[in-house]
Amino acid sequence: MIRTKTKNNYLKIIEVYQYYIEREEMDMGGIESLMSNWDAINLFGTYSSLRRGVNKIKQKMPVGKKNFDTQKKLFEIYKITLK
């Protein structure tokens, strides 16, 4: 069991695990389409940082605590574009 001092930390841990499980179950075939999505470009600001974000999702790399919220938003944009 993971021990934390506050309830908010437990909620964040659950959110991170849900993100990783959901990312594992998704097919990443069309992830490159995010490079031309204006919402994704505006989220990161530059193409090079967007490329790093897309590669993290595509290669299923771990996401750091500092960039987790931005990476999760990028994944949400990808899920919306699939529908």
Side-chain angles (χ1 to χ4, degrees):
M1 179 173 180
I2 299 170
R3 298 180 66 181
T4 65
K5 293 185 178 188
T6 64
K7 185 178 179 181
N8 288 338
N9 288 345
Y10 282 118
L11 296 176
K12 191 66 171 180
I13 291 168
I14 291 169
E15 181 182 5
V16 169
Y17 278 122
Q18 284 177 338
Y19 165 76
Y20 282 123
I21 289 169
E22 200 172 339
R23 189 178 72 173
E24 283 293 321
E25 294 174 354
M26 294 280 298
D27 178 31
M28 297 300 160
I31 194 76
E32 291 294 325
S33 65
L34 285 175
M35 292 305 294
S36 61
N37 186 316
W38 280 106
D39 292 332
I41 294 168
N42 289 332
L43 180 66
F44 279 90
T46 64
Y47 281 107
S48 59
S49 59
L50 175 60
R51 168 58 58 197
R52 286 191 302 270
V54 167
N55 284 341
K56 281 187 178 185
I57 292 177
K58 184 178 177 182
Q59 298 169 358
K60 298 181 179 176
M61 297 169 68
V63 180
K65 161 171 79 168
K66 179 177 150 187
N67 300 324
F68 176 74
D69 293 329
T70 307
Q71 196 70 25
K72 186 175 178 190
K73 288 177 189 174
L74 181 64
F75 188 66
E76 295 294 326
I77 291 171
Y78 175 64
K79 288 192 312 187
I80 290 171
T81 58
L82 285 179
K83 294 180 182 179

